[in-house]
Amino acid sequence: MMDDAIKPTRKPPRKVTPAYLQRAAMAYLERYASSAENLRRVLKRKVDKRCRLRGEEPAEFYEAIDEVVEKSLRSGLVDDTRYAEARVATLRRRGGSARAIRAKLSLKGIDRATIATALEGEEGDEEQAARALARRRKLGPYRPGERAPYRDKDLAALARAGFSFDIARRIVDGEREDNAG
């Protein structure tokens, strides 16, 4: 029987180095598309955790994080404009409103001008996005059975998703479009 007082102690993680930060950034970017600010946050969390386990002060490594992010930007691995355009296209297909997309991209650290530029080409797609959401969530004309008793709930669901009342009303009161995609 093993005594509780004799527990093997874990070795502290290795010291944070610029090479470690570069490897961590590359590993993250291999798996996920990212904005510069989001990559900065990811690396900061890694540094904070590692420094907490080592009993070190993380602030001294923040400059190295900035250097890794700048290097990623210069090499083209991170491009906020390209990231924003790709996210807008994906979120539109899934039924995202312009308002919801702005909020999500802002959370990822994309500036307002870049978001506006990415949404610019997509403005005419607000109604298509609302229809995609209605189809996915079975709202309005996509609701099986009688839809009249659920009209207000369906309008509210589209409004919470960030669509204007006019667009929500057109979708909920409109006819089903099965060929739209």
Side-chain angles (χ1 to χ4, degrees):
M1 189 167 174
M2 190 170 174
D3 189 346
D4 286 335
I6 306 174
K7 287 188 179 176
T9 56
R10 254 202 173 140
K11 218 166 78 173
R14 291 183 182 159
K15 187 167 178 53
V16 175
T17 64
Y20 162 75
L21 290 171
Q22 189 65 47
R23 283 192 310 272
M26 295 305 293
Y28 184 78
L29 293 172
E30 282 176 6
R31 295 187 67 190
Y32 307 104
S34 181
S35 66
E37 185 57 34
N38 189 59
L39 180 61
R40 187 174 280 109
R41 288 179 196 152
V42 167
L43 293 176
K44 185 178 178 304
R45 277 195 310 266
K46 286 182 174 293
V47 166
D48 288 348
K49 181 180 179 185
R50 192 166 271 210
C51 286
R52 188 175 53 250
L53 292 172
R54 290 182 56 86
E56 296 175 341
E57 185 58 41
E60 64 186 76
F61 301 105
Y62 292 165
E63 191 176 310
I65 291 173
D66 292 339
E67 290 172 14
V68 169
V69 171
E70 288 303 316
K71 186 176 178 182
S72 299
L73 283 165
R74 280 193 311 271
S75 67
L77 291 172
V78 174
D79 182 348
D80 285 355
T81 304
R82 194 175 60 220
Y83 173 77
E85 289 168 353
R87 288 300 294 155
V88 166
T90 300
L91 293 169
R92 280 293 194 190
R93 275 194 305 275
R94 297 194 75 231
S97 67
R99 188 174 297 142
I101 291 170
R102 269 190 210 95
K104 286 183 181 186
L105 290 176
S106 289
L107 284 174
K108 291 294 184 180
I110 304 293
D111 64 272
R112 288 181 182 196
T114 305
I115 294 170
T117 304
L119 280 169
E120 208 170 79
E122 301 281 335
E123 284 301 333
D125 295 336
E126 191 81 355
E127 196 163 328
Q128 271 184 312
R131 190 170 303 286
L133 182 67
R135 188 178 312 113
R136 204 174 54 129
R137 303 239 340 252
K138 296 185 180 6
L139 304 173
Y142 303 97
R143 181 179 287 283
E146 190 179 352
R147 65 188 215 208
Y150 299 101
R151 181 178 185 272
D152 289 346
K153 282 186 174 192
D154 292 350
L155 285 171
L158 288 170
R160 281 190 305 273
F163 294 104
S164 71
F165 178 72
D166 289 340
I167 289 177
R169 188 172 25 119
R170 276 199 302 267
I171 299 301
V172 170
D173 294 340
E175 293 302 313
R176 186 180 190 136
E177 284 185 22
D178 290 324
N179 59 351

